[in-house]
Amino acid sequence: MQYSAPTDGFRLAYERSGSGPAVVLLHGWPGDHTDWDQLVPGLRDVADVLAPDLRGFGQSDKYEADPEEIYSAHGQARAVAALMDELRLKDAVVAGYDVGGAVSQTVATMRPDLVAALVVSPHLPGAGKRVLELGPVREFWYTSFHQLDLARLLIDGNRDAVRVYLHHFWSHWSGPNYIVDEKRMDHLVEVYSAPGAFVASINWYRTSSSNPVTAFAAETKPSPGQRLATPTTVLWEDQDPIFPFEWSDQLDAFFQNYTLERLSGIGHFTPLEATDRFAKAIKQRLRNVPGDADRNQASSRTPAKQGRRSPTGAASSA
């Protein structure tokens, strides 16, 4: 692992391989950069692939700090953007799911000069107050648990408790054909069991903008001109218990230019459950990444037309 220069006093650990246009891969919870281990070998022959551990995860720095300032989507995006600046990566295809999906969208909003395209799986906007219905409330119980010091007392630094807790999510959130890799669990237990590591990871949920329940319940639709303009591929699983496919019906209100692909039979962990389809979507976006001769014209591109949904439920750029 390599380490970035500190931003806000926090370094990011990262792995980088390959050459070509930039691809940045942002992981989810409860995972780390190894979420992408199956996907990276298929990309590094065509791209310069960067896979960091986000703040509070894996080998990256994890200190006690104000979650809203450091561990929120904006705090995480600020760190990712600083790393991209440090490595001189621009016009990247930024891909993410779960926490990484939200951070990817935030990077594109904060620093559109860094991002040529997005490939993301939920966390995505559009749930609104539906998150407060009985079904979602039953699934999102853990976000309330993560607000309590009880989470630290029961789990943090306790290897056995960390394993049981993380294993629950990898088993419950995944699709019917996914088998939890126990060797992978060994790795995650190792990095999540160090004193303070579990609490650092759940600081994501201790912010108003990153906790799915509070963020979705307070969600407002942007004006048409404020919708995210970055070309975006959305890979939405139909076996994800926390982000049901039905919530994809509001993407038009948040994205100007997107395509939507329904991942049938796939659960929450898209890089591991639908590796080939995720890699294919990234490669498709790479085809439109500007070369050196085109970079000076990037800022003068006209806004793309709004994505539209087809009668089959898929969506495409009009």
Side-chain angles (χ1 to χ4, degrees), residues 236-255:
W236 204 306
E237 328 88 296
D238 68 2
Q239 296 296 312
D240 187 340
I242 54 172
F243 293 104
F245 182 77
E246 290 75 16
W247 288 358
S248 67
D249 63 351
Q250 296 298 308
L251 291 175
D252 285 350
F254 296 90
F255 295 88

Side-chain angles (χ1 to χ4, degrees), residues 172-221:
H172 178 61
W173 287 352
S174 55
N177 298 318
Y178 182 75
I179 299 174
V180 178
D181 183 344
E182 296 301 329
K183 289 184 178 179
R184 174 165 172 70
M185 287 302 306
D186 291 343
H187 165 74
L188 292 177
V189 170
E190 184 69 25
V191 296
Y192 275 77
S193 291
F198 176 76
V199 167
S201 79
I202 64 173
N203 275 330
W204 168 261
Y205 298 98
R206 294 177 170 181
T207 75
S208 60
S209 62
S210 304
N211 182 336
V213 174
T214 56
F216 287 142
E219 191 174 65
T220 58
K221 295 178 181 179

Side-chain angles (χ1 to χ4, degrees), residues 218-241:
E219 191 174 65
T220 58
K221 295 178 181 179
S223 64
Q226 295 300 311
R227 295 171 187 166
L228 185 60
T230 306
T232 300
T233 299
V234 174
L235 304 174
W236 204 306
E237 328 88 296
D238 68 2
Q239 296 296 312
D240 187 340

